[in-house]
Amino acid sequence: MKAAFTMWKNSRMIILAAVCAAIYGAALIAFKTAIPLIPGITELRVGQIFPVAFGLLFGPAGAWGTAFGNFIGDLFGGTLGPGSIAGLVGNFLLGYLPYALWTRLFPWARLSREWDGRSWAHRLNYFFVSFVSGAACAVVISSVVDAMGIVPYAVLSKIITLNNTLGGWIGVVLLAAVFRVTKDQFGLFWADVMDEEDLGKPKAAFLGAWMVVVASVAGLLGGMIPGVPAGTVGWICSFFIILGSLLL
């Protein structure tokens, strides 16, 4: 997670984070009341096409942009509340995990950080990473909202995961359309913008990556295990998701 903090000394990354926040926030506000799923909590989020693409394009700038963009969406969309802090954390993970997991889930595949739409390995990795990122975001947010007694964990976690995953999968079209232009013409691919020494080389990245995967999937099973409260499963899984993220 080193790059998520060292990026703040890079002016171009800060600008990218602000741009991502503005785009994502505007997309959320525009459709905030169009198709509500749980009024005041979540809706059909057309803007979910952006976070995974932002993460893979702009790295930590995409992660922070997604986090702050969601907060902006809540602030100006009329849904700002106690759950917005959980939304900030969850949406940070939604933008952070795509690039953090990208080369660390299957290191033996020797995947490049750069998107290659011609590669089946890249395509499969994209869809898997999108699902894991969406589920991790959902587990963290749902745990907090359930603890507040607003919406049951077992219901909200699945709605958010579905929203995030479908949006992320559709977002592959956006990524494929703009990746080469962003990298080659504008020179804004995150790994090129940041210094190599600021990216970090975590020694437990493989462990952290699979800790996030297992905890995210297990979190979705909350409410399906007899005798185990769904909220308890959510909090335990949230802990391991955040721990795994720190190891990446």
Side-chain angles (χ1 to χ4, degrees):
M1 189 174 269
K2 180 180 179 181
F5 298 101
T6 57
M7 66 144 277
W8 291 106
K9 64 182 183 181
N10 187 310
S11 58
R12 284 197 292 171
M13 291 295 284
I14 294 173
I15 292 172
L16 285 173
V19 171
C20 289
I23 293 173
Y24 187 46
L28 294 180
I29 294 168
F31 295 94
K32 187 63 94 167
T33 58
I35 309 178
L37 298 177
I38 300 178
I41 300 296
T42 190
E43 63 285 332
L44 184 63
R45 292 162 68 99
V46 178
Q48 297 313 104
I49 65 171
F50 293 111
V52 177
F54 281 168
L56 292 176
L57 280 168
F58 307 123
W64 287 111
T66 299
F68 293 131
N70 185 77
F71 192 82
I72 291 171
D74 283 353
L75 180 62
F76 294 100
T79 55
L80 185 67
S84 296
I85 300 301
L88 188 75
V89 176
N91 278 269
F92 172 82
L93 292 175
L94 186 59
Y96 167 75
L97 290 174
Y99 81 86
L101 294 175
W102 186 254
T103 58
R104 292 162 179 166
L105 278 173
F106 309 104
W108 52 84
R110 299 183 179 179
L111 291 170
S112 166
R113 288 194 186 107
E114 300 179 19
W115 166 254
D116 182 1
R118 298 167 299 178
S119 167
W120 277 104
H122 277 238
R123 293 178 189 176
L124 291 174
N125 200 40
Y126 178 93
F127 289 117
F128 186 63
V129 164
S130 295
F131 165 69
V132 173
S133 303
C137 169
V139 169
V140 171
I141 293 175
S142 301
S143 298
V144 176
V145 173
D146 175 80
M148 294 177 179
I150 302 174
V151 182
Y153 173 88
V155 174
L156 186 60
S157 60
K158 292 167 182 59
I159 289 176
I160 296 178
T161 298
L162 184 62
N163 229 346
N164 289 343
T165 302
L166 290 180
W169 287 355
I170 295 171
V172 71
V173 178
L174 173 65
L175 179 66
V178 304
F179 184 83
R180 281 298 150 198
V181 174
T182 301
K183 184 183 188 302
D184 298 335
Q185 296 185 27
F186 296 121
L188 294 177
F189 180 54
W190 73 279
D192 295 339
V193 174
M194 295 185 69
D195 295 330
E196 187 66 31
E197 62 184 20
D198 290 332
L199 301 184
K201 296 180 179 180
K203 296 180 180 179
F206 180 75
L207 172 63
W210 281 99
M211 187 181 294
V212 170
V213 171
V214 172
S216 298
V217 174
L220 289 181
L221 300 178
M224 298 181 181
I225 304 174
V228 180
T232 300
V233 174
W235 280 110
I236 293 173
C237 290
S238 294
F239 170 79
F240 283 105
I241 288 170
I242 293 173
L243 178 60
S245 298
L246 292 172
L247 293 176
L248 289 171

